[in-house]
């Protein structure tokens, strides 16, 4: 049995916060794989089902982010799960929006949810870091993560990312970290924030003319008409360009 934990804060006011991307990912997995309705237990919301024949528990701790470990510890103790049986999905401000990094073990990176989980179940669980971007200054971090995803973010990368996580959730269970990161990268197709800000041309079918080198640009344009070889014009040109 594998436990997939999504981190976030409970309550409607936090539902679409960047800090709640873990909750959103677990909800997407539950919908895609027809898990039963979440029930309240172990200080969280939990649902038990299967993904491609593998038994899976989905958990959304309801203790608020800073005490997420209380709920995770209760579940792992009851089901006799070790750290290797646990994957935690959470927001990461040090990754560009839509980027994903996965590893087993390591530090908490200052994330309060992991800081609560680490001492309660150990460090050897899988960490699925879902990038939400950095606001640019440490004083803006809190309002950034507790702010809602914009419609542009949702369309550019959030919805594709959540769909891809749900489609490939079996890779989380089987520990195919590189395979999953590749699938998610393809789904998002690069930096979502950058793509959402990319201006569109008025006519997307028009191609911009290729830029010329400075040497080519400096060359005189080729004559549009053939220079006459005989007649009054030819005689004038010969006199004009006659060498001394």
């Amino acid at each position: 049995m594998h436990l997939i934990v999504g981190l976030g804060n409970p309550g409607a006011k936090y539902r679409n916060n960047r800090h709640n991307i873990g909750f959103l990912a677990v909800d997407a997995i539950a919908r895609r794989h027809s898990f039963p309705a979440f029930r309240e237990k172990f200080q969280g919301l939990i649902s038990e089902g299967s993904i491609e024949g593998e038994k899976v528990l989905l958990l959304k701790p309801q203790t608020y982010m800073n005490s997420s470990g209380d709920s995770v510890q209760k579940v792992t103790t009851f089901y006799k799960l070790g750290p290797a049986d646990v994957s935690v999905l959470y927001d990461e401000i040090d990754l560009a929006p839509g980027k994903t990094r996965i590893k087993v073990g390591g530090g908490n990176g200052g994330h309060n949810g992991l800081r609560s989980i680490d001492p309660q179940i150990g460090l050897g669980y899988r960490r699925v870091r879902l990038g939400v971007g950095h606001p640019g200054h440490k004083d803006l971090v809190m309002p950034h993560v507790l702010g809602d995803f914009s419609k542009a973010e949702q369309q550019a990368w959030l919805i594709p990312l959540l769909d891809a996580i749900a489609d490939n959730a079996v890779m989380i269970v089987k520990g195919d970290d590189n395979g999953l990161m590749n699938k998610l990268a393809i789904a998002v197709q690069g930096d979502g924030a950058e793509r959402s800000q990319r201006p569109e041309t008025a006519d997307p079918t028009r191609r911009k003319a290729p830029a010329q080198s400075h040497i080519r640009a400096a060359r005189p344009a080729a004559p549009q008409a053939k220079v006459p070889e005989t007649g009054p014009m030819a005689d004038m040109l010969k006199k004009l360009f006659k060498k001394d």
Side-chain angles (χ1 to χ4, degrees):
M1 178 177 286
H2 196 83
L3 172 63
I4 300 178
V5 182
L7 298 187
N9 287 312
K13 65 181 290 188
Y14 300 109
R15 182 174 295 129
N16 295 314
N17 284 183
R18 296 180 183 89
H19 217 22
N20 275 37
I21 194 171
F23 277 12
L24 296 175
V26 165
D27 284 339
I29 293 171
R31 289 192 300 269
R32 184 63 46 86
H33 298 278
S34 302
F35 273 60
F38 284 88
R39 66 186 191 277
E40 293 185 21
K41 198 172 184 180
F42 306 115
Q43 291 183 274
L45 295 176
I46 193 166
S47 181
E48 183 176 345
S50 65
I51 300 176
E52 296 189 20
E54 303 284 345
K55 291 184 178 180
V56 175
L57 290 170
L58 301 178
L59 174 66
K60 297 186 292 182
Q62 299 294 289
T63 52
Y64 288 94
M65 186 68 79
N66 293 6
S67 300
S68 299
D70 296 350
S71 177
V72 176
Q73 189 272 335
K74 290 179 185 296
V75 175
T76 55
T77 298
F78 183 86
Y79 287 95
K80 297 180 172 58
L81 302 175
D85 303 314
V86 179
S87 295
V88 179
L89 284 65
Y90 62 98
D91 61 300
E92 175 57 79
I93 62 172
D94 290 329
L95 286 177
K99 296 292 186 182
T100 305
R101 292 293 180 269
I102 305 172
K103 69 174 182 177
V104 174
N108 59 50
H111 194 282
N112 289 332
L114 301 191
R115 187 176 288 159
S116 173
I117 294 171
D118 287 353
Q120 303 216 47
I121 71 168
L123 303 180
Y125 59 90
R126 178 171 290 97
R127 298 147 198 261
V128 182
R129 303 161 61 201
L130 306 176
V132 297
H134 197 288
H137 192 280
K138 64 180 182 178
D139 291 344
L140 301 176
V141 167
M142 190 60 68
H144 177 70
V145 298
L146 293 181
D148 286 354
F149 287 107
S150 68
K151 290 183 178 180
E153 287 176 301
Q154 293 178 42
Q155 294 299 320
W157 64 267
L158 179 61
I159 293 174
L161 177 65
L162 297 178
D163 284 344
I165 290 172
D167 288 341
N168 301 285
V170 69
M171 291 182 170
I172 299 176
V173 179
K174 293 184 176 181
D176 186 0
D177 298 341
N178 289 332
L180 180 59
M181 283 192 288
N182 287 337
K183 291 286 188 181
L184 301 184
I186 291 170
V188 175
Q189 296 179 347
D191 183 359
E194 180 180 310
R195 291 189 298 113
S196 67
Q197 295 172 8
R198 188 179 300 157
E200 295 184 357
T201 59
D203 183 358
T205 64
R206 293 180 61 184
R207 294 184 179 179
K208 184 179 179 180
Q212 292 183 331
S213 70
H214 65 284
I215 296 175
R216 183 177 295 274
R219 291 175 180 168
Q224 300 299 312
K226 187 177 180 180
V227 177
E229 297 178 0
T230 61
M233 180 63 72
D235 293 340
M236 184 184 70
L237 290 174
K238 288 178 182 179
K239 291 180 181 179
L240 181 63
F241 293 104
K242 182 179 179 181
K243 294 183 178 179
D244 294 332

